[in-house]
Amino acid sequence: MSAHIIDGKEFSARVRGTVADQVKVLREKHGITPGLAVVLVGEDPASQVYVRNKNRSTVEAGMKSEEIKLPDTATEEEVLAVVNRLNEDESIHGILVQLPLPSQIDETAVIDAIAPEKDVDGFHVINTGRQAVGLPAMVPCTPRGCIMMLKDHLGDLSGLNAVVVGRSNIVGKPMASLLLAESCTVTIAHSRTKNIEDVCRGADILVAAVGRPEMIKGEWIKAGATVIDVGINRIAKDDGKTRLVGDVEFDSAKDVAGAITPVPGGVGPMTIACLLANTITATCRMNDIEEATLLG
Ligand code: NDP
């Protein structure tokens, strides 16, 4: 048996198409153009690429995009001043501060300064808390993308055994919380988990968010399980070049799993799509518009 490959590129294009349709309705029916601001501090090459892609996708979806660049010598006060200005700006519905920040800046202080209703990354502790108790919250983009792919593929998730490997604040914990909200029976595994292979073998849904190349092998996976590989790891090839691999050993896993996301081309493309989707959610909540009614 060979697993169904969940195509993140195709699914993310669908989500971005829906977002573009929602933007059209917000502009034409409500007179509102959703606005997303991205703050980049410093010259980190990877961050520059991410920010450029985010801006391009924002504009393609018909939204207003604002990019604020600060030098890597910027002080915490300067970054906070930008965040405060964006908090007050009524044309901006989502604020994202690209991480990591230079060492002189306290990331938590900056995230805490973002107005929770504009926190489209979903990292503010108010959003973390609201999500944990089941109140409407901004949900971190990567876990939101994983849940969308799971529901698209499996439909109702209730009663399924879900194992999340990794307990970071940006992926593992919110992922587990979202799966619980879908009425899965959830186990979180981490570096201290005993018999992790056996834990994984109990999963109908296995989410890997570890950051260890190809750690999860095919024999750890229950036949027919749905595997979501969040990991992005760059490894050296024999010819001296590099390639991206996930946290799951794809070649052995695909012979056992029922469905699996590839790396690249799985979870990765969903993250920007969900950033745009979160900006729609924020725009609707700020303007008392029922998001579900946008597209009828
Ligand atoms: P972190 O390093 O913050 O967390 C890794 C987690 O994995 C920790 O909870 C750690 O456990 C656990 N872990 C580490 N080693 C083991 C092990 N041997 N066995 C079991 N658990 C282990 O990583 P992130 O959550 O930020 O990211 C995880 C991966 O996802 C990375 O590859 C990252 O690049 C990728 N990623 C991809 C995104 C995308 O858009 N597709 C977005 C964000 C991340 P402990 O807590 O005990 O130390």
Side-chain angles (χ1 to χ4, degrees):
M1 188 183 76
S2 196
H4 169 75
I5 309 299
I6 300 176
D7 184 343
K9 274 194 199 159
E10 183 272 329
F11 191 50
S12 107
R14 256 195 284 155
V15 173
R16 281 183 283 121
T18 303
V19 166
D21 291 343
Q22 291 172 312
V23 171
K24 207 160 175 275
V25 175
L26 282 164
R27 290 172 75 140
E28 290 175 1
K29 192 168 156 203
H30 300 277
I32 301 164
T33 302
L36 174 64
V38 179
V39 182
L40 175 63
V41 186
E43 308 284 330
D44 178 59
S47 294
Q48 285 181 330
V49 173
Y50 293 144
V51 168
R52 206 177 312 132
N53 289 342
K54 284 169 186 169
N55 281 331
R56 200 190 49 228
S57 302
T58 308
V59 172
E60 276 172 9
M63 298 187 189
K64 171 183 163 167
S65 167
E66 185 171 341
E67 185 181 331
I68 297 103
K69 282 188 176 169
L70 294 172
D72 58 8
T73 52
T75 63
E76 190 172 307
E77 288 66 34
E78 285 168 329
V79 179
L80 291 175
V82 169
V83 169
N84 288 330
R85 175 182 66 75
L86 294 169
N87 283 343
E88 298 299 320
D89 185 340
E90 287 186 2
S91 72
I92 294 296
H93 305 90
I95 303 170
L96 180 149
V97 178
Q98 184 67 44
L99 302 179
L101 291 169
S103 57
Q104 74 274 17
I105 300 169
D106 178 357
E107 283 185 359
T108 308
V110 172
I111 292 167
D112 282 353
I114 298 172
E117 66 275 16
K118 295 190 179 186
D119 168 38
V120 280
D121 249 345
F123 294 162
H124 195 293
V125 72
I126 293 273
N127 282 314
T128 311
R130 289 179 68 88
Q131 192 211 336
V133 296
L135 289 170
M138 299 308 302
V139 175
C141 300
T142 301
R144 182 174 178 177
C146 294
I147 285 286
M148 286 166 88
M149 286 198 287
L150 281 167
K151 287 173 79 167
D152 185 64
H153 180 65
L154 291 170
D156 184 11
L157 308 185
S158 66
L160 296 177
N161 284 333
V163 173
V164 180
V165 189
R167 56 173 166 177
S168 72
N169 289 334
I170 61 166
V171 189
K173 283 181 197 156
M175 188 70 227
S177 175
L178 290 174
L179 288 162
L180 187 59
E182 295 295 331
S183 297
C184 292
T185 304
V186 184
T187 305
I188 306 178
H190 45 77
S191 66
R192 305 294 179 87
T193 299
K194 294 194 171 74
N195 303 320
I196 194 163
E197 298 96 325
D198 288 340
V199 173
C200 290
R201 262 181 228 118
D204 303 309
I205 294 171
L206 180 61
V207 181
V210 189
R212 296 199 180 264
E214 302 180 317
M215 184 185 94
I216 295 173
K217 314 293 179 198
E219 63 264 31
W220 297 25
I221 295 169
K222 180 176 169 174
T226 303
V227 178
I228 303 288
D229 190 354
V230 182
I232 302 178
N233 309 287
R234 190 167 286 283
I235 60 165
K237 292 197 292 184
D238 293 341
D239 61 6
K241 295 185 179 157
T242 61
R243 69 184 177 106
L244 290 183
V245 297
D247 292 339
V248 178
E249 190 181 65
F250 185 83
D251 284 344
S252 60
K254 76 173 188 336
D255 294 336
V256 191
I260 185 167
T261 58
V263 178
V267 174
M270 285 301 292
T271 300
I272 289 186
C274 287
L275 175 66
L276 303 179
N278 272 354
T279 307
I280 295 288
T281 301
T283 307
C284 288
R285 288 194 187 144
M286 267 178 250
N287 289 282
D288 286 327
I289 297 167
E290 191 67 51
E291 187 177 343
T293 63
L294 280 183
L295 300 181

